[in-house]
Amino acid sequence: MDGGRHPLSVLFQGASYGLAFKLDNLGKEIMGIAVPGALALMADPLASLVDTAFIGHIGPVELAAVGVSIAVFNQVSRIAIFPLVSVTTSFVAEEDVTSSDRQKVETNKESEHNVSDSEMDELISSEDTSATSRKSSLSSLVNIEHNRKSIPSVSTSLLLAGVLGLLQTLLLVFYSKPILDFMGLKPDSGMLNPALQYLVLRSLGAPATLLSLAMQGVFRGLKDTKTPLYATVAGDATNIVLDPIFMFVFKYGVSGAAIAHVISQYFIAAILLWRLRLHVDLLQPSLKHLQIGRFLKNGFLLLARVIAATCCITLSASMAARLGSTPMAAFQICLQIWLASSLLSDGLAFAAQAILAGAFARKDYSKATVTASRVLQLGFILGLLLSVLLGVGLRLGSRLFTEDKDVLHHIYVATPFVALTQPINALAFVSDGVSYGASDFAYAAYSMILVAIASVICIVTLTSYSGFLGIWIALSIYMSLRMFAGFWRIGSARGPWAFLRS
């Protein structure tokens, strides 16, 4: 780029001409990954919202209790699997690109060899022609066998996800009480028993949940987000059907909601595993192909990032729980909607990560620049649309979750923050995808640690002064700092973006 041009200006390339909406090859590639990816991500939070809606009609205490349990389960799952999923998507995308390039070279060599063979065919006898035909048939069978790709990162990811899932189950089954106590549910709290029931049962589905998320990371790296969408929709539809059966017909209450969710997660995992084995060799010839060291090195960096981010969300939920069951019930509803709507932006983040990983693997910096610019512009526009939608929809639709007037009052207090932070959230999430696509894992980890330190101070301070309102002010500050950290890396033209200085 021109020497007098600021690196951050690449983010605004073609904005005045509406190039973000251009459906050229890159535009179609982004949309082909982002739209199904976003819909797949939305399916699970929507299923959780359905759980929340059903449980909300049991009572505000049960609603608040399940809110704490879902927060615990989701945050522990994020700590366990999010680093692995992010690393998997980048590594699979890189290996898929290099594998495709290598296959093209081999195909060209085979074509040249076949031309030579065709010249020789004119000189051989008819008996030799029959032998050549048999050789060709054998070659076709070999080609069919090699249709499945050999991508070592896939096997590594599934192995680690299975181990982490079992460890998460053991952790939540045996240490659920201390964890809930840390979250503010003391032995004399009416929320403790329903929260404990839900969390222990839900933890039995952790292996399936983590395997499903890992396989979704694999499919994103292969630029296939449709398969995870179909599997997730099928599983969550099962969850929605089973919810009222277990909760009200069998009268299991909050335990029924947990059982329905566990069944749906194993169903999703089975579908994804069945589809994945048709495209990829899941068993590597030896342990040295698993690249466990490479995964652990970058995974630990992102683990530090996820723990830092988890501290902010978990601390917010804990502070809300300490305010009482009514603020916690309202916080649970608003947080689920806040995260569910923001996950739409993660579809763009997936597209950015998969496309950028391939571009950087090929050293195609021009495509990397244009991709980063497009997805960030689309993220901002999406955030504006969500802001308007939630500003109107949350106030009008909050009665779907509860009829309690005190809970509704707290929801109305949080609504402006849930709505107005959507553009900020969108840019923050898409920036994460850009960082992961550039394999800038170290910066992503260290910057989030600094953001979390500042945000934790804000959460504790503002909650002590402003209560429920203070929690949402602090969360808004947290997302703003995340967005700034992502933009600063590109704007300073450092790390993988150093080429922007030239």
Side-chain angles (χ1 to χ4, degrees):
M1 59 184 292
D2 298 333
R5 196 173 172 191
H6 195 278
L8 198 59
S9 64
V10 302
L11 303 180
F12 307 100
Q13 285 184 359
S16 59
Y17 300 100
L19 290 182
F21 298 104
K22 186 177 180 181
L23 280 179
D24 53 7
N25 290 336
L26 178 59
K28 292 178 181 178
E29 188 175 16
I30 291 173
M31 289 296 104
I33 299 172
V35 174
L39 292 175
L41 277 179
M42 284 291 294
D44 191 58
L46 286 174
S48 293
L49 282 175
V50 172
D51 281 350
T52 302
F54 281 127
I55 295 167
H57 289 285
I58 297 177
V61 172
E62 287 79 5
L63 176 60
V66 171
V68 175
S69 295
I70 289 176
V72 169
F73 184 89
N74 287 345
Q75 294 309 319
V76 173
S77 296
R78 282 181 62 82
I79 291 174
I81 198 63
F82 184 78
L84 179 62
V85 172
S86 299
V87 169
T88 296
T89 298
S90 292
F91 288 176
V92 169
E94 292 170 6
E95 291 178 17
D96 188 39
V97 164
T98 54
S99 176
S100 298
D101 290 346
R102 186 168 55 249
Q103 191 174 13
K104 287 180 182 178
V105 172
E106 292 174 355
T107 300
N108 290 335
K109 289 182 179 179
E110 288 178 2
S111 298
E112 294 174 0
H113 180 69
N114 288 337
V115 170
S116 299
D117 286 347
S118 64
E119 293 174 353
M120 291 294 297
D121 284 344
E122 298 176 1
L123 302 176
I124 60 177
S125 64
S126 60
E127 292 146 3
D128 289 338
T129 301
S130 176
T132 302
S133 177
R134 289 194 298 272
K135 181 179 178 181
S136 177
S137 299
L138 180 61
S139 177
S140 298
L141 292 174
V142 171
N143 288 335
I144 293 173
E145 178 67 23
H146 283 80
N147 279 339
R148 289 189 296 186
K149 298 180 180 179
S150 178
I151 302 178
S153 294
V154 175
S155 304
T156 311
S157 178
L158 297 187
L159 174 64
L160 293 175
V163 172
L164 290 171
L166 291 174
L167 291 176
Q168 181 178 337
T169 296
L170 294 175
L171 172 68
L172 293 180
V173 168
F174 291 105
Y175 295 96
S176 54
K177 280 188 177 180
I179 292 172
L180 292 173
D181 181 75
F182 171 77
M183 292 294 292
L185 301 190
K186 303 302 179 182
D188 59 346
S189 173
M191 293 186 285
L192 180 59
N193 285 334
L196 193 60
Q197 293 172 17
Y198 187 90
L199 183 58
V200 171
L201 287 171
R202 179 80 178 264
S203 67
L204 299 178
T209 300
L210 269 60
L211 277 171
S212 297
L213 292 172
M215 285 187 280
Q216 288 181 43
V218 170
F219 279 110
R220 291 167 198 157
L222 297 173
K223 299 181 181 179
D224 174 11
T225 51
K226 291 182 180 179
T227 298
L229 171 61
Y230 299 148
T232 304
V233 169
D236 287 338
T238 302
N239 181 31
I240 292 172
V241 171
L242 293 178
D243 258 340
I245 295 175
F246 283 109
M247 291 174 65
F248 303 118
V249 177
F250 295 155
K251 298 182 180 180
Y252 290 161
V254 295
S255 297
I259 294 170
H261 205 94
V262 169
I263 293 172
S264 71
Q265 289 303 308
Y266 278 100
F267 186 41
I268 293 172
I271 295 173
L272 289 174
L273 187 61
W274 170 64
R275 292 295 301 172
L276 186 59
R277 64 178 295 275
L278 298 178
H279 302 287
V280 180
D281 287 324
L282 300 181
L283 297 177
Q284 294 303 311
S286 66
L287 289 176
K288 68 179 182 180
H289 289 84
L290 292 179
Q291 310 177 59
I292 293 178
R294 185 186 182 208
F295 266 79
L296 293 180
K297 176 185 175 182
N298 293 283
F300 277 123
L301 285 171
L302 288 186
L303 177 61
R305 175 187 172 86
V306 172
I307 291 175
T310 298
C311 285
C312 297
I313 299 298
T314 304
L315 179 61
S316 299
S318 177
M319 299 298 283
R322 293 172 193 275
L323 294 175
S325 61
T326 297
M328 182 58 210
F331 180 82
Q332 161 64 9
I333 293 171
C334 292
L335 184 67
Q336 289 293 326
I337 294 173
W338 195 58
L339 295 177
S341 57
S342 298
L343 285 175
L344 283 170
S345 306
D346 263 343
L348 289 171
F350 298 153
Q353 183 177 2
I355 297 172
L356 284 170
F360 275 102
R362 289 185 171 130
K363 300 187 185 302
D364 188 351
Y365 297 129
S366 176
K367 184 174 183 179
T369 301
V370 175
T371 300
S373 176
R374 288 256 191 119
V375 293
L376 286 167
Q377 289 175 30
L378 287 170
F380 180 69
I381 295 167
L382 175 61
L384 291 176
L385 293 174
L386 287 172
S387 183
V388 174
L389 180 63
L390 290 180
V392 177
L394 184 55
R395 190 170 184 87
L396 296 177
S398 55
R399 291 185 179 275
L400 292 173
F401 304 100
T402 181
E403 295 291 338
D404 189 284
K405 292 183 179 179
D406 291 333
V407 175
L408 289 172
H409 170 72
H410 282 80
I411 292 175
Y412 298 153
V413 170
T415 296
F417 297 96
V418 175
L420 295 177
T421 55
Q422 290 305 311
I424 297 172
N425 295 358
L427 289 173
F429 290 136
V430 176
S431 294
D432 290 345
V434 171
S435 295
Y436 301 153
S439 294
D440 200 6
F441 299 122
Y443 174 78
Y446 298 138
S447 63
M448 177 55 77
I449 291 172
L450 294 176
V451 167
I453 292 172
S455 299
V456 165
I457 294 172
C458 289
I459 292 169
V460 174
T461 303
L462 292 172
T463 304
S464 64
Y465 281 100
S466 303
F468 186 77
L469 178 64
I471 295 176
W472 285 101
I473 295 174
L475 285 175
S476 301
I477 294 172
Y478 159 66
M479 292 306 302
S480 298
L481 292 174
R482 282 186 61 174
M483 179 193 71
F484 174 79
F487 274 72
W488 186 87
R489 187 61 160 175
I490 299 176
S492 62
R494 297 180 183 276
W497 300 99
F499 68 87
L500 293 175
R501 298 178 185 175
S502 60

